[in-house]
Amino acid sequence: VSGTTVSLVGIGTCNLTADQAAAGNYAAATQVTGSIAIGAIASVISPISAPSSAMVGASVIVSATGAPSGAPIVFSTTTPSVCSVSGSVVTIFAPGSCMVIANQAAAGNYAAATSVSVTISAESVAKVPTLGLAGLLALSCLLAVAGLATRQRRA
């Protein structure tokens, strides 16, 4: 307390007492007390940065940012039959959905953060892009032109 300013420095209960001395024709005021409950600062974890899919056998890095409390972000998985997590490295070892969870414990004046999650689709084979009708027509034209050019060089 400094004058009429109260600085909150930690979690808990701040008990305050107010006094006023006698002055002039006035007697001292009756002492008044009060308290302020000080709660923890809310913590929020940013969305997890991770690829949307990965091949079986791949290892990918995940990341997230939490409160500046000093407590680390801890990653884990709820799908140990599909992937494992060690630190911020997720290893995919079976096809399916790999669910990664990020948690941050309470520390200092910060409350524990609500966990966040992300799903990584674990693919057993690479997805091959497909051509639509427009792509097939363009490819057909390109091959036809290439064929004409080859015939003209031979002639």
Side-chain angles (χ1 to χ4, degrees):
V1 177
S2 176
T4 59
T5 302
V6 176
S7 298
L8 308 176
V9 295
I11 298 170
T13 302
C14 176
N15 295 311
L16 301 168
T17 303
D19 294 300
Q20 184 176 25
N25 294 332
Y26 293 95
T30 304
Q31 187 179 64
V32 177
T33 61
S35 62
I36 301 171
I38 304 166
I41 301 167
S43 295
V44 176
I45 299 175
S46 68
I48 299 172
S49 174
S52 61
S53 65
M55 297 297 299
V56 170
S59 290
V60 298
I61 305 282
V62 294
S63 64
T65 304
S69 64
I73 301 288
V74 178
F75 297 99
S76 61
T77 182
T78 59
T79 52
S81 61
V82 177
C83 59
S84 64
V85 178
S86 177
S88 61
V89 178
V90 177
T91 302
I92 308 294
F93 51 81
S97 293
C98 170
M99 175 75 72
V100 178
I101 308 291
N103 288 293
Q104 186 178 35
N109 291 328
Y110 291 87
T114 301
S115 63
V116 295
S117 64
V118 68
T119 300
I120 301 170
S121 177
E123 307 289 338
S124 59
V125 293
K127 288 187 176 181
V128 177
T130 58
L131 295 175
L133 181 58
L136 287 173
L137 288 173
L139 181 59
S140 296
C141 290
L142 183 62
L143 291 173
V145 169
L148 286 174
T150 302
R151 281 190 223 134
Q152 287 177 353
R153 275 190 248 147
R154 287 184 189 163

